[in-house]
Amino acid sequence: MDAENNHQVPWGQRISYAMSDFGCNTIFQIVGTYFLVFATDTMGIAAAAVTGLFAISAIIDSFDGLIWGQFIDRTQTRWGKSRPYWLWFSIPFGIFCVMAFTNVPFGQTGKIIWIYIAYIGAKVLYSGINIPVTSILPTLSSSPSEKITLSTVRQLFGNFGAAIFLPLTLPAVILFAGIFDKGAKDPSTSSVGWFIWAVILAVITVAALLIAFSGTRERVVTRDSQRAVPMRESIKALKGNYPWAIIIFINFIYWGGFAVRASALPYYFKYNLHNEGLGSLVLAGTIITVLSTALIPFCSKWIGKRNTMLLGMTGTAVSQLILYLADRMGDSIPVILIGIVLYYISYGLTGALIAVMLSDAVDFGEWKNGVRAEGFVTSFSSFSAKLGMGLGSMILAAVLAAGHYIAGSAAQSSASLNAITLGFIWIPFIGYAASAVALLFNNVDKLEPQMLKDLKAKHTAELEAE
């Protein structure tokens, strides 16, 4: 194991690790936010047809994350267990994300088949590059404070990627449409504009992931990190691991609400508020998340990891109630902006700590059961998050279909507008509130000092015996 005086990871490696999340968020946030709008408004596919895609994707996501986790635990290379996946799968991931924003000249059936292949392929490969982002964290340092720093810097870069590219997306699509697709009736739905923007983001994503691969090092050496851990042993790490069960549930319900809200946002500002420009401005508010994320190490030291995360989750739930108040007041722009600012501040206090809590669950599983299985334990993070996001997107598509949403129609029915409001305000509120309640039962912060002391002694004895 790394020596006591070597817990701190050099800044070059911290930034390289952070580039992994920057790369993931650069294009996948765009997929999560705009894919449904692209499929319905640009490709002309009915919302009901996309519902089936999200349902199948959610089922596949139930398995692929676990498979990736097993691959990681069985991987033995000179680069480590988690790190090489950024090298192997960054380019294929970028290609499939571009495919997701490519309007092929096929009929309806051909287009539906195309988006199924593109979207499912992008999500499967996202697991292949994103699970290592989490599974590598326990191997970068054994210090709790350093892991918080690493996760905070990573989240800062991830939020920074979203803050830059989400608000730029619609203006960029319109810009490229004006240059290369001047005949487009609505530049915001230009297939040419979307394709060019997707290619640019894919190139940035691949470059960021390759930087992450080249600049990180797996520094925590244990007996299990030097061998392929069999499936039957990996499962033992979950026995009685209640911190893991809690964080996996939170991952499911929180990111499910997040996905519904993100996908509903463009519809809400376009059809309910008739103000797409404000929607782009709101997405630019992601920069607030960057600032609040930077406060995590200080808040965690002051009130603890769990309470910092609880503060963030409670804030996101309250922000949804403020948006409802704005809706009742006749879509008051000042009140909407208050709700959005609170949302981004609160979200910034949450995302980075989910990864740290999963790292704690890896330590807890080894402390309680004697098995350290980073890939298997953290793979459920991707499984639960992607299942929640997949079901969330499916629920939104189903809600829009039930509300008789008509793609591209400037005047939506009251039922359609109510469906959009349900997706943007109330479904996310349920997810955020339920997450906060579940987190109240996680007390791993109190166990951490003794747990780390025992694990240090265990790792030292194992390595001396070899």
Side-chain angles (χ1 to χ4, degrees), residues 169-193:
T169 292
L170 282 180
V173 169
I174 293 171
L175 173 65
F176 292 129
I179 298 173
F180 301 105
D181 190 19
K182 295 182 179 180
K185 294 182 180 179
D186 182 355
S188 69
T189 64
S190 166
S191 57
V192 175

Side-chain angles (χ1 to χ4, degrees), residues 286-372:
T286 309
I287 194 66
I288 299 172
T289 301
V290 175
L291 301 177
S292 63
T293 299
L295 298 175
I296 287 177
F298 307 101
C299 291
S300 296
K301 188 174 181 179
W302 180 34
I303 61 176
K305 294 193 298 286
R306 188 201 70 168
N307 291 337
T308 299
M309 191 170 166
L310 184 62
L311 180 64
M313 287 182 168
T314 303
T316 53
V318 172
S319 74
Q320 296 301 109
L321 297 180
I322 293 175
L323 291 174
Y324 169 69
L325 176 63
D327 189 70
R328 296 292 295 175
M329 294 173 62
D331 299 321
S332 169
I333 300 300
V335 179
I336 288 175
L337 293 178
I338 290 172
I340 294 296
V341 169
L342 177 60
Y343 173 82
Y344 282 129
I345 291 173
S346 304
Y347 172 66
L349 295 175
T350 304
L353 288 175
I354 289 179
V356 177
M357 291 287 193
L358 276 165
S359 179
D360 291 342
V362 172
D363 290 338
F364 185 89
E366 184 184 11
W367 182 58
K368 183 176 178 62
N369 303 306
V371 179
R372 187 176 186 85

Side-chain angles (χ1 to χ4, degrees), residues 49-92:
V50 187
T51 304
L53 167 60
F54 290 144
I56 293 175
S57 175
I59 293 172
I60 293 174
D61 283 347
S62 300
F63 300 99
D64 75 332
L66 306 182
I67 294 172
W68 285 117
Q70 276 297 291
F71 283 162
I72 291 170
D73 282 337
R74 293 170 184 239
T75 297
Q76 289 180 289
T77 73
R78 59 191 176 93
W79 302 309
K81 286 179 173 288
S82 301
R83 184 174 152 233
Y85 286 81
W86 299 328
L87 172 66
W88 296 337
F89 296 107
S90 57
I91 293 176

Side-chain angles (χ1 to χ4, degrees), residues 346-410:
S346 304
Y347 172 66
L349 295 175
T350 304
L353 288 175
I354 289 179
V356 177
M357 291 287 193
L358 276 165
S359 179
D360 291 342
V362 172
D363 290 338
F364 185 89
E366 184 184 11
W367 182 58
K368 183 176 178 62
N369 303 306
V371 179
R372 187 176 186 85
E374 292 104 342
F376 186 71
V377 173
T378 59
S379 68
F380 281 89
S381 166
S382 174
F383 154 70
S384 58
K386 289 177 63 182
L387 180 62
M389 292 175 75
L391 289 176
S393 298
M394 181 186 72
I395 289 170
L396 178 61
V399 166
L400 291 178
H404 305 292
Y405 167 77
I406 302 174
S409 175

Side-chain angles (χ1 to χ4, degrees), residues 9-154:
V9 177
W11 265 106
Q13 291 185 35
R14 286 175 175 174
I15 293 174
S16 294
Y17 174 58
M19 290 300 289
S20 64
D21 223 23
F22 179 85
C24 289
N25 277 358
T26 291
I27 195 165
F28 206 70
Q29 285 272 13
I30 311 301
V31 173
T33 302
Y34 286 108
F35 174 77
L36 181 58
V37 172
F38 177 81
T40 56
D41 291 11
T42 298
M43 298 188 75
I45 298 173
V50 187
T51 304
L53 167 60
F54 290 144
I56 293 175
S57 175
I59 293 172
I60 293 174
D61 283 347
S62 300
F63 300 99
D64 75 332
L66 306 182
I67 294 172
W68 285 117
Q70 276 297 291
F71 283 162
I72 291 170
D73 282 337
R74 293 170 184 239
T75 297
Q76 289 180 289
T77 73
R78 59 191 176 93
W79 302 309
K81 286 179 173 288
S82 301
R83 184 174 152 233
Y85 286 81
W86 299 328
L87 172 66
W88 296 337
F89 296 107
S90 57
I91 293 176
F93 171 65
I95 290 172
F96 273 89
C97 286
V98 170
M99 289 172 60
F101 288 102
T102 301
N103 187 11
V104 290
F106 303 151
Q108 277 291 300
T109 301
K111 288 185 175 184
I112 291 173
I113 293 173
W114 176 270
I115 65 168
Y116 271 54
I117 294 172
Y119 185 76
I120 292 173
K123 294 202 77 178
V124 169
L125 289 168
Y126 177 76
S127 290
I129 61 171
N130 192 254
I131 290 176
V133 175
T134 304
S135 66
I136 200 174
L137 180 58
T139 75
L140 297 178
S141 176
S142 61
S143 165
S145 61
E146 180 61 24
K147 285 191 283 188
I148 291 174
T149 299
L150 284 163
S151 192
T152 299
V153 176
R154 162 198 156 189

